Amino acid sequence: MSTRDEVIDVDVGGHRLAATLVTPATQMPGVLFLHGWGGNRSQYVARARQVAALGCVCLTVSFRGHEATQELKESVTRDDSLQDVVAAFDTLAMHHLVDPSSIAVVGTSYGGYLGSILSSMRPVRWLALRAPAIYKDSEWTTPKSALRKMQDLDRYRRQRIAPADNHALAACAAFRGDVLVVESGRDTMIPHEVIENYREALKSSRSLTYRVLDEADHALSDPACSEAYTTLLVNWLTEMVAQHRTPDVDAQKLVRQGMKAKAGA
Amino acid sequence: MSTRDEVIDVDVGGHRLAATLVTPATQMPGVLFLHGWGGNRSQYVARARQVAALGCVCLTVSFRGHEATQELKESVTRDDSLQDVVAAFDTLAMHHLVDPSSIAVVGTSYGGYLGSILSSMRPVRWLALRAPAIYKDSEWTTPKSALRKMQDLDRYRRQRIAPADNHALAACAAFRGDVLVVESGRDTMIPHEVIENYREALKSSRSLTYRVLDEADHALSDPACSEAYTTLLVNWLTEMVAQHRTPDVDAQKLVRQGMKAKAGA
């Protein structure tokens, strides 16, 4: 097992002692949760705890215009939000417990759209999209809240859209990791055609898990649907993380056998 | 596996986003290295790396009067050093990766003396003493550098000393954890009688491992002796940590089996 050194101060009654902290360089997967428009990090903390219990470090973040900065909601653009998402990814990737090459992005609606684009900017290994939204590429720095009317999104979201014509779909087309796509059967915001466009674009992904929650609306307002989604997500991440861990598990087994042999000597 | 939440800020171009970081509450043993008089933390970093590779968090600290604060060396008292040692223990025990009930203290000479007393003040689980020094209880707040002459230590260290007559030995007599005692066969500072006094005092310890490095002087100035000590220490800690881990290993096995079962479902 590799280790890392860190020089720290020990405070003792006003004095500072130089100290070296040496820790095992244990690394685990990271999982970034991206909320939908109007949501915030709090919605994902319970899910994050379940996922962390699998042995992952989770980060849920509130975008600008949400939670403490509601006053910015009408002026926030997709460009702002994408910056937020990239900064959150980088924060997670730099965490000392996180293996930066093993990061899952879990996005809902607007967060799914942003997560898709993020996958073209940062090394996303696993991508979970629940009811991912979609927007035209134009008006990139126009406030997000103005897009629905300006881009006639209700109409746009019924169309067949080629990856070449949309940043998010282009990113999906280039994505080579594992993907989970979850559709709500009673979604009035994100019609089935949007999900089809994403699935079509994702044809180069290493694996695809596609599920429909038949009774669910866009927001998963029925607690049973919300729970069903959590179960889907946790099972999928469990499978992904278990595959990823196999070599480490073997290494750990060897270390433990070595320890037992030494202990018996 | 239990988890812990932490609210953090994500910085993005001057904005701060609220975020929740959820990490698995992984805990491992801690190992505190206490150097001898005139030594410093740097002497223990290589050993600390080997021990950290077993899956432990290690801390090596330079006491007041050493390394950056050499100018205090003539005025530092045992009381000052014991405060340093307690603060270092507390720093290690509070580290988020450390199980505060599973801390080993590894002390050399003056550090062994201080580590023995520390075991009566903090929950030390494992105690490794290499060539532990000993002093009379009197003159507790007199500069340590004056004690050799003032206490006629060369004579004191040839005597049979009962635990009731010495703080460090009393702490050893009360110690219920596992102990490693390492003696240097050619030690002109710490004669065999001192080691005998420590061994006699430690009769209530859960286990005792006593070894003599025949060719070694007090400072282990021969690299081969220094290496032999490292091997002894690492093997002993490996055995201690492996015993300690057994329940966790079983728990980890169950988690992994559960993950495999889910992945196959």
Side-chain angles (χ1 to χ4, degrees):
Chain A
M1 197 187 287
S2 57
T3 64
R4 58 180 210 118
D5 298 359
E6 199 180 337
V7 175
I8 63 166
D9 282 331
V10 171
D11 287 316
V12 47
H15 294 272
R16 293 178 152 235
L17 311 176
T20 306
L21 188 74
V22 188
T23 43
T26 320
Q27 289 200 312
M28 46 184 97
V31 181
L32 177 63
F33 289 84
L34 304 177
H35 62 76
W37 187 252
N40 65 59
R41 69 189 161 106
S42 309
Q43 300 171 292
Y44 300 89
V45 171
R47 273 183 200 117
R49 288 192 192 118
Q50 289 196 45
V51 172
L54 303 175
C56 300
V57 175
C58 297
L59 186 68
T60 81
V61 65
S62 295
F63 309 150
R64 258 177 279 179
H66 295 75
E67 202 183 337
T69 54
Q70 286 281 349
E71 73 280 6
L72 300 176
K73 194 170 178 192
E74 296 307 307
S75 59
V76 158
T77 67
R78 285 175 287 170
D79 195 60
D80 295 329
S81 299
L82 190 61
Q83 285 175 30
D84 293 352
V85 162
V86 169
F89 182 97
D90 291 344
T91 298
L92 181 62
M94 284 184 306
H95 190 279
H96 65 277
L97 284 176
V98 172
D99 172 0
S101 69
S102 300
I103 296 187
V105 172
V106 178
T108 292
S109 195
Y110 184 54
Y113 171 77
L114 295 167
S116 299
I117 300 174
L118 175 67
S119 76
S120 67
M121 303 168 71
R122 290 293 186 272
V124 175
R125 183 163 184 151
W126 301 292
L127 185 62
L129 306 176
R130 188 182 79 69
I134 201 158
Y135 307 87
K136 293 180 187 170
D137 288 348
S138 52
E139 292 88 32
W140 181 250
T141 54
T142 296
K144 189 274 177 199
S145 58
L147 297 180
R148 194 176 178 119
K149 278 192 184 168
M150 193 182 287
Q151 297 193 338
D152 192 5
L153 288 180
D154 289 340
R155 206 174 129 101
Y156 183 64
R157 290 175 178 177
R158 294 284 178 188
Q159 293 173 15
R160 170 84 185 86
I161 308 166
D165 297 329
N166 186 287
H167 284 336
L169 298 180
C172 287
F175 188 66
R176 296 286 180 276
D178 301 274
V179 180
L180 171 69
V181 176
V182 180
E183 178 175 351
S184 285
R186 300 182 177 187
D187 197 325
T188 53
M189 298 283 286
I190 303 297
H192 177 69
E193 288 85 342
V194 175
I195 305 297
E196 270 192 351
N197 283 325
Y198 272 99
R199 280 187 56 193
E200 273 295 305
L202 284 160
K203 59 193 166 194
S204 298
S205 64
R206 187 167 168 272
S207 74
L208 177 72
T209 304
Y210 165 62
R211 297 286 185 274
V212 182
L213 299 168
D214 290 327
E215 305 302 319
D217 61 11
H218 184 67
L220 302 184
S221 42
D222 178 350
C225 293
S226 175
E227 207 176 303
Y229 170 59
T230 301
T231 303
L232 262 179
L233 179 67
V234 169
N235 285 353
W236 179 75
L237 281 171
T238 299
E239 181 185 342
M240 296 302 127
V241 168
Q243 278 175 6
H244 166 65
R245 277 224 187 102
T246 312
D248 283 356
V249 167
D250 288 347
Q252 285 166 20
K253 216 181 267 175
L254 284 174
V255 168
R256 244 177 295 123
Q257 282 167 353
M259 281 166 54
K260 275 182 195 158
K262 277 193 180 175
Chain B
M1 198 188 287
S2 58
T3 64
R4 58 180 210 118
D5 297 359
E6 198 182 338
V7 176
I8 63 167
D9 282 331
V10 171
D11 288 314
V12 47
H15 294 271
R16 291 176 155 237
L17 311 176
T20 306
L21 188 73
V22 188
T23 43
T26 319
Q27 290 200 313
M28 47 184 100
V31 181
L32 178 62
F33 289 83
L34 304 178
H35 63 75
W37 187 253
N40 66 59
R41 68 190 160 106
S42 309
Q43 298 171 294
Y44 299 90
V45 171
R47 273 181 201 118
R49 288 192 192 119
Q50 288 197 46
V51 172
L54 304 174
C56 301
V57 175
C58 298
L59 186 68
T60 81
V61 65
S62 296
F63 309 150
R64 258 177 280 177
H66 296 75
E67 203 184 337
T69 54
Q70 286 280 350
E71 72 280 7
L72 301 175
K73 195 170 179 192
E74 295 307 307
S75 59
V76 159
T77 68
R78 283 175 290 169
D79 194 60
D80 295 330
S81 299
L82 190 61
Q83 286 174 31
D84 293 352
V85 162
V86 169
F89 182 96
D90 291 344
T91 298
L92 181 62
M94 285 184 307
H95 190 279
H96 66 276
L97 283 175
V98 172
D99 172 0
S101 69
S102 300
I103 296 186
V105 172
V106 178
T108 292
S109 194
Y110 184 55
Y113 171 78
L114 295 167
S116 299
I117 300 175
L118 174 69
S119 75
S120 67
M121 305 169 70
R122 289 294 186 275
V124 174
R125 183 163 186 153
W126 301 292
L127 185 61
L129 305 176
R130 188 180 80 69
I134 201 158
Y135 307 86
K136 293 179 187 171
D137 288 348
S138 52
E139 292 90 31
W140 181 249
T141 55
T142 296
K144 188 275 178 198
S145 58
L147 297 180
R148 195 179 176 118
K149 277 194 184 167
M150 191 183 289
Q151 297 193 337
D152 193 5
L153 288 180
D154 289 339
R155 208 174 128 103
Y156 183 64
R157 290 175 178 175
R158 293 284 178 189
Q159 292 174 14
R160 170 83 185 86
I161 309 166
D165 297 329
N166 186 288
H167 284 337
L169 297 180
C172 286
F175 188 67
R176 296 287 179 276
D178 300 274
V179 180
L180 172 69
V181 176
V182 180
E183 178 176 351
S184 284
R186 300 185 176 184
D187 198 325
T188 54
M189 300 282 286
I190 304 298
H192 178 69
E193 288 86 341
V194 174
I195 305 296
E196 270 192 352
N197 283 324
Y198 272 99
R199 280 187 55 191
E200 271 296 304
L202 284 161
K203 58 193 167 195
S204 297
S205 64
R206 185 167 169 273
S207 74
L208 176 73
T209 305
Y210 165 62
R211 297 287 184 275
V212 182
L213 299 169
D214 290 325
E215 305 302 319
D217 61 11
H218 184 67
L220 301 183
S221 44
D222 178 350
C225 294
S226 175
E227 206 176 302
Y229 170 59
T230 301
T231 303
L232 261 179
L233 179 68
V234 170
N235 285 353
W236 179 75
L237 281 170
T238 300
E239 180 185 343
M240 297 301 127
V241 168
Q243 278 175 7
H244 166 66
R245 280 228 183 97
T246 312
D248 283 356
V249 167
D250 288 348
Q252 284 167 20
K253 215 181 265 174
L254 285 173
V255 168
R256 245 178 294 123
Q257 280 166 355
M259 281 168 54
K260 275 182 196 158
K262 276 192 180 175

